[in-house]
Amino acid sequence: MPGVYDRLNHLDRSFLIYETGVSPMHVGGTATFEASALRGADGGLDIQRIRALIEARLPLIPRYRQVVATTPLGASIWLDDAHFNLDYHVRHTSLPRPGDDRQLKALSARVFSQALDRAKPLWELWFVEGVAGGDRFALISKVHHAMVDGISAVDLLQVILSPDAVAEVAPAPHWVPRPAPSARRLAFDDLKGLVRAPLALAGRAPALLGEARKPGSDLRAAVRGAADLAFKTVRRPSETPFNRPIGPHRRCDWLALDLTEVKAVRHALGGSLNDVVLATVTGAVRRFLTHRGVRMGGLDFRVMTPVSVRTPDEKGALGNRVSAWTVPLPVGEPDPRRRLALIEETTGRLKEEKNALGAAMLTRMAGWTPATLLSLAARLAWRNLPFNLIVTNVPGPQHPLYLLSARMLDNYGLLPLADYLGLAIVLVSYAGKLCWGFTADWDLVPDVDRFARCVEEAFAELRGLPG
């Protein structure tokens, strides 16, 4: 019965395994829009028009009407949801007056703290009226990390957002869920896969050996990267106030920088845009930890920054195609110019060595491990993370986007946290802004707003340096 179901790849499945009661593994964000274009006759948000738009776009993203199921031999697969109900996934609420940023951040954090229901398609969209006194509305989104990575998620925004204002959409085609295959069929496919995997590996062995002999091959780079990652995992970074057991509740904050100003710093001081971002994070961490009473001398502080390994022909495809760098931040260095130079040197070396391929190879190796053992390993691995903080930079469109005829004003990302990882940062560039989103554990980082101010101060310090 080909085409009736899809198997989760190893990385997608790992996000389901990593999920715990205190660590839901969904990504998301909060975007705000001009409200006037989508007011209904009663003056409120016209949620029925919005639902009609989303229903019309769902054929472009079939995963959004599928659920995770398990085969008789324990593999994870996607099946059509026979009980799909759009109203469950597209929700409508409102802020009390005055509808300010503080209230929207609090609501975003509460929504983001709640795990997605595994028995349903793994996404929710919350439309929030009453933002900025009613002049705006917000969209709080939640999508399980098993469905999509942050970089391809930008492509998927185009499914419901448009570069031009749209008055109406064509009616949605009738959708009929495909029947699930029998347990016997699934078991047969599992056994067939188990037999084919070692045969496929044996068939590829000559090509792999040939590639391994080439000095500059991706395979050699992947092995070096995997060895480097393994070494960093054994050698733990310094413990900080971010790196303690987390709870189930979240706080969030955000801020926007002028993207033109960030690019001006890059041109004046050198490095890539991501180098400037990491230098800004370094200065912010230095300020924040000093405020918390942490001594900078000898501090080994590292960030994990995801890197896309998606090929151009995979652009817009569902599923995770990311790997990662582990970058030491020179938080002990007081000179901001020197901090940027050290980061540029490190990222340049990582690019040259193709270090991110090592993490990708280890992820593929995880697919050879039975699910129960992998689950146990994942729980233990969170207590031995080789980094202190996640910083991910998502390139977004530089032209305005519209939900029907409502213009999107900004877009702030939110990331899942893991035990011993109490703060995560995601940046989304959009329409001339660099939108910083901060997700924090409720108890470990109650002063996440202070950290956001430290980011602003650290960037102002870089911006003030002579070129």
Side-chain angles (χ1 to χ4, degrees):
M1 198 177 291
V4 171
Y5 73 93
D6 299 310
R7 290 179 180 269
L8 276 74
N9 68 36
H10 309 315
L11 182 56
D12 295 347
R13 185 164 62 97
S14 73
F15 287 114
L16 294 174
I17 292 170
Y18 290 157
E19 192 162 59
T20 69
V22 299
S23 301
M25 285 287 124
H26 49 256
V27 295
T30 299
T32 64
F33 297 78
E34 294 174 338
S36 57
L38 277 181
R39 286 201 176 102
D42 60 357
L45 188 64
D46 193 343
I47 192 65
Q48 294 309 321
R49 283 183 67 200
I50 293 172
R51 286 192 173 115
L53 166 70
I54 295 168
E55 187 174 21
R57 297 290 188 261
L58 282 178
L60 301 174
I61 43 174
R63 187 76 76 239
Y64 279 47
R65 286 194 282 214
Q66 294 179 325
V67 294
V68 176
T70 305
T71 68
L73 296 190
S76 296
I77 60 174
W78 297 108
L79 291 175
D80 287 354
D81 180 13
H83 306 287
F84 180 76
N85 184 338
L86 185 65
D87 289 354
Y88 173 85
H89 297 277
V90 180
R91 305 185 179 192
H92 185 198
T93 189
S94 180
L95 292 180
R97 290 188 178 276
D100 57 24
D101 255 13
R102 178 185 57 82
Q103 292 170 310
L104 182 57
K105 290 171 184 177
L107 176 62
S108 299
R110 285 198 300 273
V111 168
F112 203 69
S113 298
Q114 301 161 6
L116 291 161
D117 186 346
R118 290 276 191 99
K120 300 182 183 299
L122 297 174
W123 64 281
E124 294 173 4
L125 297 180
W126 291 67
F127 288 89
V128 185
E129 289 190 50
V131 179
D135 291 337
R136 300 182 183 184
F137 70 90
L139 166 58
I140 304 172
S141 62
K142 291 167 60 175
V143 183
H144 202 284
H145 218 324
M147 288 180 62
V148 62
D149 65 66
I151 294 168
S152 70
V154 172
D155 294 328
L156 295 175
L157 281 178
Q158 305 302 324
V159 173
I160 60 171
L161 302 178
S162 168
D164 301 303
V166 177
E168 299 294 338
V169 295
H174 181 62
W175 179 76
V176 178
R178 297 168 298 177
S182 67
R184 182 179 177 179
R185 175 70 193 191
L186 292 172
F188 176 78
D189 288 350
D190 282 349
L191 291 171
K192 187 166 62 175
L194 288 174
V195 171
R196 285 182 174 176
L199 294 176
L201 184 61
R204 292 180 56 207
L208 290 173
L209 288 173
E211 189 179 358
R213 293 191 183 100
K214 298 176 185 176
S217 71
D218 282 352
L219 181 60
R220 283 196 173 195
V223 172
R224 285 196 305 270
D228 180 64
L229 184 63
F231 175 73
K232 287 173 179 172
T233 302
V234 172
R235 187 172 59 87
R236 291 284 308 281
S238 300
E239 207 168 278
T240 76
F242 306 136
N243 308 121
R244 302 209 171 112
I246 66 169
H249 306 297
R250 301 290 176 263
R251 298 179 191 265
C252 67
D253 213 300
W254 52 67
L255 64 90
L257 298 179
D258 188 316
L259 188 57
T260 302
E261 291 186 355
V262 180
K263 290 179 177 178
V265 170
R266 181 192 69 183
H267 291 308
L269 303 180
S272 67
L273 190 70
N274 199 51
D275 292 337
V276 174
V277 165
L278 291 178
T280 301
V281 172
T282 304
V285 169
R286 178 180 172 84
R287 279 175 162 75
F288 185 79
L289 292 183
T290 300
H291 161 69
R292 286 286 197 97
V294 177
R295 299 177 64 178
M296 294 295 107
L299 192 68
D300 179 9
F301 191 95
R302 306 176 210 155
V303 299
M304 188 273 278
T305 180
V307 179
S308 177
V309 293
R310 189 178 300 277
T311 59
D313 61 325
E314 293 175 319
K315 185 177 181 183
L318 288 163
N320 290 276
R321 293 287 288 126
V322 292
S323 190
W325 283 344
T326 301
V327 183
L329 297 188
V331 294
E333 173 57 58
D335 180 359
R337 188 186 297 270
R338 178 64 179 153
R339 290 197 294 261
L340 176 57
L342 289 170
I343 287 170
E344 184 182 358
E345 179 183 323
T346 299
T347 58
R349 177 178 54 80
L350 292 172
K351 288 175 190 173
E352 191 173 316
E353 296 176 355
K354 300 182 180 177
N355 191 279
L357 294 175
M361 188 178 77
L362 289 180
T363 300
R364 289 196 295 271
M365 289 173 62
W368 306 340
T369 307
T372 51
L373 295 180
L374 182 58
S375 179
L376 176 60
R379 301 290 185 266
L380 296 174
W382 286 129
R383 300 174 183 272
N384 196 34
L385 290 171
F387 50 85
N388 304 85
L389 178 66
I390 290 178
V391 180
T392 183
N393 196 346
V394 180
Q398 292 312 300
H399 52 79
L401 294 176
Y402 295 82
L403 181 73
L404 291 170
S405 49
R407 183 166 67 96
M408 186 170 77
L409 302 173
D410 46 41
N411 185 14
Y412 300 100
L414 299 168
L415 288 177
L417 302 180
D419 219 5
Y420 295 85
L421 188 69
L423 177 67
I425 304 172
V426 59
L427 299 95
V428 179
S429 55
Y430 168 66
K433 296 179 180 179
L434 190 59
C435 300
W436 295 65
F438 309 97
T439 312
D441 178 73
W442 179 270
D443 294 310
L444 289 184
V445 196
D447 48 355
V448 64
D449 57 332
R450 175 64 181 255
F451 186 87
R453 289 198 301 274
C454 289
V455 166
E456 289 184 295
E457 293 164 4
F459 178 72
E461 186 178 38
L462 284 172
R463 187 180 54 201
L465 293 174

